[in-house]
């Protein structure tokens, strides 16, 4: 099948975006933190490191599968299907959505990513309010919001994340998109390699390892946000810690923006390469 002009245009946008990943690098502070993480984990025995990351991976899989059972999750999935049926009334299941054009899929996806960026922004504002419970809940909330955002981006591109294969792919996208920026280009290449060499309609047959020392830098960097929030939590305007709330909201929004953009580009790439192969 020959590529349409629009498909070629979007594919070129993805290529330019991929090239931009190579231009990203950490600042002095994050580079120092990166080296500290690397040195700290180098002191641990290999079996202990494997056990730690295996527990984290298992937790991510449990969170992903548990969220699929929530009624809110099922309602959102039905909303995506209803919107897709407005474009093509023959659509009856998530996989049928792939019959739509790239722009129609992009419309479905942007509805979901915009909503989750807002959730993340509001959560960051709550975390910046300075309460102890807000600090403790922020990391867990960010985890759930961003996994959820990827799940619905996948659904908007006709991928059923209930299957083990699509669940694993979605979590690999989560892992790649939440890495420090200097590692995201390499992670993208690994994702594409996985697509080309591990293909299945249901079970995932490749390596399902997700997290590593590099990935821990991402959640760890949230500590810097927490420290900044604490520094300004007593600077109040109208009784509210406006500066710390702004820091929390902006940091969370930027993270979810990065995650949703990464997921969008990945599922666009899958759609285009499968459609035009």
């Amino acid at each position: 099948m020959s590529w349409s002009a629009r498909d070629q245009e979007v594919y070129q946008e993805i290529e330019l975006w991929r090239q931009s990943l190579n231009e990203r690098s950490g600042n002095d502070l994050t580079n120092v933190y990166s080296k500290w993480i690397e040195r700290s984990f180098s002191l641990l025995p290999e079996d202990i490191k494997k056990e730690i990351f295996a527990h984290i991976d298992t937790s991510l899989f449990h969170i992903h599968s548990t969220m699929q059972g929530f009624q809110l999750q099922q309602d959102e999935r039905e909303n995506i299907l209803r919107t897709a049926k407005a474009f093509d009334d023959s659509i009856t299941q998530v996989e049928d959505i792939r019959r739509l054009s790239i722009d129609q899929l992009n419309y479905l996806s942007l509805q979901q990513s915009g909503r989750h960026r807002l959730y993340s922004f509001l959560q960051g504002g709550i975390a910046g309010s300075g309460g102890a419970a807000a600090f403790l809940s922020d990391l867990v909330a960010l985890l759930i919001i961003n996994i959820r955002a990827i799940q619905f981006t996948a659904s908007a591109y006709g991928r059923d994340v209930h299957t083990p294969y699509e669940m694993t792919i979605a979590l690999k996208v989560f892992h790649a998109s939440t890495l420090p920026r200097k590692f995201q280009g390499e992670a993208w290449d690994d994702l594409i390699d996985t697509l080309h060499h591990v293909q299945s309609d249901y079970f995932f047959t490749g390596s399902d390892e997700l997290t590593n020392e590099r990935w821990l830098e991402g959640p760890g960097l949230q500590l810097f946000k927490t420290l900044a929030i604490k520094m300004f939590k007593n600077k109040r305007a109208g009784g509210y810690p406006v500066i710390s709330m702004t820091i929390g909201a902006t940091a969370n929004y930027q993270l979810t923006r990065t995650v949703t953009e990464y997921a969008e580009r990945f599922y666009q790439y899958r759609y285009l390469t499968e459609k035009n192969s």
Side-chain angles (χ1 to χ4, degrees), residues 2 13 35 46 90 93 95 98 100 103 126 146-147 162 165 183 185 194-195 245 256 258 268:
S2 61
E13 289 174 2
K35 290 178 181 177
E46 197 62 33
S90 68
Q93 58 186 359
E95 289 84 351
R98 279 177 258 172
L100 300 178
D103 287 327
I126 293 170
N146 287 295
I147 289 177
H162 285 82
Y165 180 81
F183 300 131
T194 297
L195 279 185
M245 291 176 71
T256 302
T258 298
Q268 282 180 338

Side-chain angles (χ1 to χ4, degrees), residues 18-32:
R18 167 63 187 90
Q19 291 173 22
S20 74
L21 296 180
N22 290 334
E23 300 165 5
R24 298 176 178 179
S25 60
N27 55 43
D28 291 341
L29 183 60
T30 57
N31 287 334
V32 168

Side-chain angles (χ1 to χ4, degrees), residues 184-221:
Q184 288 182 1
E186 181 183 339
W188 171 269
D189 295 338
D190 289 342
L191 271 172
I192 302 308
D193 186 66
T194 297
L195 279 185
H196 293 326
H197 294 95
V198 183
Q199 297 181 358
S200 170
D201 292 329
Y202 194 81
F203 292 110
F204 187 86
T205 57
S207 171
D208 58 1
E209 292 181 1
L210 299 172
T211 55
N212 49 36
E213 292 96 322
R214 288 181 173 183
W215 183 79
L216 279 185
E217 290 182 38
L221 288 174

Side-chain angles (χ1 to χ4, degrees), residues 123 126-127 131-145 252:
Q123 168 58 34
I126 293 170
F135 286 130
L136 293 174
S137 65
D138 188 48
L139 194 57
V140 175
L142 266 180
L143 193 69
I144 292 172
I145 289 170
N252 282 18

Side-chain angles (χ1 to χ4, degrees), residues 46-61 164-165 167-179 187 190-191 194 198 204-216:
E46 197 62 33
D47 57 335
I48 298 296
K49 286 194 287 186
K50 286 183 178 179
E51 186 175 351
I52 290 172
F53 294 121
H55 280 305
I56 297 175
D57 289 353
T58 300
S59 298
L60 290 174
F61 276 101
Y165 180 81
M167 178 190 296
T168 306
I169 291 293
L171 285 174
K172 283 183 175 291
V173 174
F174 171 77
H175 164 259
S177 62
T178 51
L179 281 166
D190 289 342
L191 271 172
T194 297
V198 183
F204 187 86
T205 57
S207 171
D208 58 1
E209 292 181 1
L210 299 172
T211 55
N212 49 36
E213 292 96 322
R214 288 181 173 183
W215 183 79
L216 279 185

